Amino acid sequence: MTLRTPLCDLLGIDLPIVQSGMNRIAGPELVAQVCEAGGLGILAALALPPETVREQIRKVRTLTKRPFGVNLWLIEPGTGAPDVEVLRGAQKQLDVFRGRLGAPAKSAAPTVAPLNIRENIEVILEERVPVFSTALGDPGDEIVSRCHSQGVKVISMVASVEEAAQVERSGVDAVVAQGFEAGGHRSSWTGAEPVGLFALVPRVVDAVKVPVIASGGIGDGRGLAAALALGAQGVLLGTRFLATKESAAPEFWKKAVLAGRESSLTKVLSGLPARAMRNAFVREYEASGAPVLPPFVQRAAAQDVYDAATARGDAELAALYAGQSAGLIHDLPGAGDVVRALAAEAEAALRRAMSWQGSR
Ligand SMILES: Cc1cc2nc3c(=O)[nH]c(=O)nc-3n(C[C@H](O)[C@H](O)[C@H](O)COP(=O)(O)O)c2cc1C
C-alpha cells in the first residue's frame, strides 16, 4: 500500500503529511526533521523580522535538501487607538493576572509590533522557498503569480467553502481546509461559521479542483486515513507536532497537550478567534465579562502576562493554543518519528477498514 497522492508530486514530498508553521514553535530543527522523514515541514515566520526569516530559511537549507515551506498570516492589525473604556476594562482584568504573577499593573494602550507581511513575502520570493503557506487571508493573483514565476508553490489555509473557492480563483496550488477542531487561530477572514472537519473536507473537495489538505483534530494515523477517505490528498497537523522533541514550545505546554486538556474557541488571548486550552486565563477572563481589545491589540496588551507566566513555567496564565487532537497525543517523540508513525498507522487503519467488508 502507498499513501502517495498527487499532492506529494506537486510538493516534491514522499508522504502526504504537512507540519503546520506554528508561531514561536516551528523553527528550523522541527521543519528539517519532518522534511527528512518525507513530509513537508513549514517554518513559522509570523511577525519575525525579515532578516530573521532569511537566516532561518538558510538554516533549514543547511539541515535538509528536501522541500520545505514558510508560513505567514495575511491579516494586518487595524490602525487607530482602542476605545478608552474597552482598554480600561481589559487592563483591569489583565492586572488581576499581573498581580498573581508579581508583575506591575498597566493602563496604557500597548504597542502592536509590525507583522512585516510585505517584507517577509519578498524574502520568500528572493530565497525561492519551495512552498509559501498562507493563513488568514487570500494572497491574491498578483502575489501568487509572482510566487509561481520564482518557482514557489502556494498553499492557503481556509475555514469555509467560499474562502476555498476565493483562493482557488487567485491561483493557489493547494487549499488547506481547517476544521473547527483545529488548534490555534481560525484561518477565516470572512467571519465564516466554524465547520467540523468531517463535513468541511468533502464540501471543499467538491468545490475546488486543486488538492485539498485536511487540518484540525488529526492526532494519529487514523485521522490521516479518514482524511484520505474524505477526498483530501494530505493532512496538516499542528498540535501533534507541538508535542515533539524539536518543537520550541515550553515543557509545561507540551505536558498540557499530553494531559489532553480541554480546549475551546476564544477571543480573549489575541482578539481573534483561536482554539486554546481552558486554563485560568481563558476561564477567568471570559467569566469576568471584561471587554476584549481588537485583534492583535488584545495580544499585545496581554503579552507581558504570557511572558511572565512562561518564565515561571505557569501553565494557568500562559497562552496555551492547542486543538481537540490533544486527547489523542500520549508521547513526546522526535518529529521524524511522528511522520513515520502517522504513515504506518494510516496504512494499518485503511487495511483494517477494508478488511471489515464482508467479515461477518
Ligand atoms: C500552537 C499553535 C500555533 C499555530 N500557529 C499557526 C501559525 O503561526 N500559522 C498558521 O498558519 N497556523 C497556525 N496554527 C494552526 C495550524 O495551522 C492548524 O490549522 C492546526 O494546528 C490544525 O489542528 P491541530 O492542531 O488539531 O492539528 C497553529 C496551531 C497551533 C496549535
Side-chain angles (χ1 to χ4, degrees):
M1 182 183 289
T2 171
L3 296 174
R4 207 175 170 85
T5 65
L7 178 79
C8 298
D9 299 324
L10 178 78
L11 302 179
I13 54 179
D14 297 333
L15 293 165
I17 298 166
V18 183
Q19 161 256 310
S20 160
M22 287 178 282
N23 185 28
R24 297 181 183 218
I25 291 175
E29 288 74 19
L30 177 59
V31 170
Q33 286 301 316
V34 171
C35 296
E36 285 294 293
L40 184 82
I42 300 182
L43 200 58
L46 169 63
L48 290 182
E51 55 280 10
T52 308
V53 176
R54 197 185 300 278
E55 265 166 35
Q56 295 208 353
I57 289 169
R58 293 184 177 177
K59 175 81 194 227
V60 172
R61 287 194 157 123
T62 66
L63 300 173
T64 183
K65 300 287 167 251
R66 289 174 170 264
F68 64 97
V70 176
N71 172 263
L72 290 177
W73 286 17
L74 301 178
I75 186 176
E76 294 275 4
T79 49
D83 178 88
V84 175
E85 284 308 311
V86 175
L87 178 63
R88 191 174 297 137
Q91 291 289 29
K92 189 170 159 226
Q93 180 55 35
L94 293 172
D95 278 347
V96 173
F97 302 138
R98 291 182 182 117
R100 241 177 262 169
L101 291 161
K106 288 194 174 178
S107 58
T111 307
V112 179
L115 290 190
N116 307 316
I117 299 171
R118 289 185 176 282
E119 298 85 339
N120 284 335
I121 291 176
E122 293 308 319
V123 173
I124 288 168
L125 288 164
E126 284 161 24
E127 293 290 323
R128 294 173 177 253
V129 168
V131 177
F132 175 27
S133 138
T134 73
L136 284 131
D138 174 8
D141 52 4
E142 197 189 317
I143 297 280
V144 173
S145 60
R146 285 186 68 204
C147 285
H148 287 166
S149 65
Q150 291 294 94
V152 179
K153 299 273 190 309
V154 184
I155 63 175
S156 292
M157 188 157 68
V158 304
S160 72
V161 172
E162 292 72 24
E163 289 161 347
Q166 186 183 344
V167 297
E168 184 182 50
R169 282 195 297 276
S170 294
V172 303
D173 299 280
V175 167
V176 180
Q178 185 199 46
F180 172 74
E181 306 88 334
H185 287 82
R186 292 201 65 231
S187 188
S188 175
W189 58 96
T190 63
E193 274 299 312
V195 181
L197 197 69
F198 248 73
L200 183 65
V201 167
R203 285 174 61 191
V204 174
V205 166
D206 287 347
V208 299
K209 293 195 175 62
V210 293
V212 176
I213 300 166
S215 181
I218 300 170
D220 60 35
R222 291 172 295 183
L224 168 54
L228 295 175
L230 292 171
Q233 293 194 25
V235 288
L236 179 143
L237 294 83
T239 306
R240 173 61 276 192
F241 285 108
L242 188 159
T244 58
K245 290 194 183 109
E246 296 84 3
S247 137
E251 285 309 306
F252 64 81
W253 195 348
K254 294 181 185 179
K255 278 195 189 136
V257 170
L258 297 188
R261 285 191 70 160
E262 183 197 353
S263 63
S264 65
L265 278 176
T266 183
K267 280 190 177 182
V268 302
L269 293 171
S270 70
L272 284 162
R275 180 172 291 282
M277 290 178 168
R278 292 193 63 75
N279 61 3
F281 187 108
V282 174
R283 280 194 325 268
E284 292 180 29
Y285 200 113
E286 288 182 350
S288 75
V292 175
L293 288 156
F296 300 100
V297 185
Q298 178 75 8
R299 171 153 65 190
Q303 193 61 52
D304 65 314
V305 175
Y306 307 147
D307 291 345
T310 300
R312 289 177 166 218
D314 180 346
E316 290 309 313
L317 294 177
L320 293 186
Y321 297 107
Q324 293 184 331
S325 56
L328 284 169
I329 296 164
H330 310 294
D331 55 0
L332 209 65
D337 293 331
V338 167
V339 174
R340 286 181 283 272
L342 281 165
E345 290 161 6
E347 286 182 4
L350 289 168
R351 263 194 220 102
R352 203 163 47 240
M354 296 303 288
S355 69
W356 280 343
Q357 202 183 13
S359 66
R360 280 197 304 148

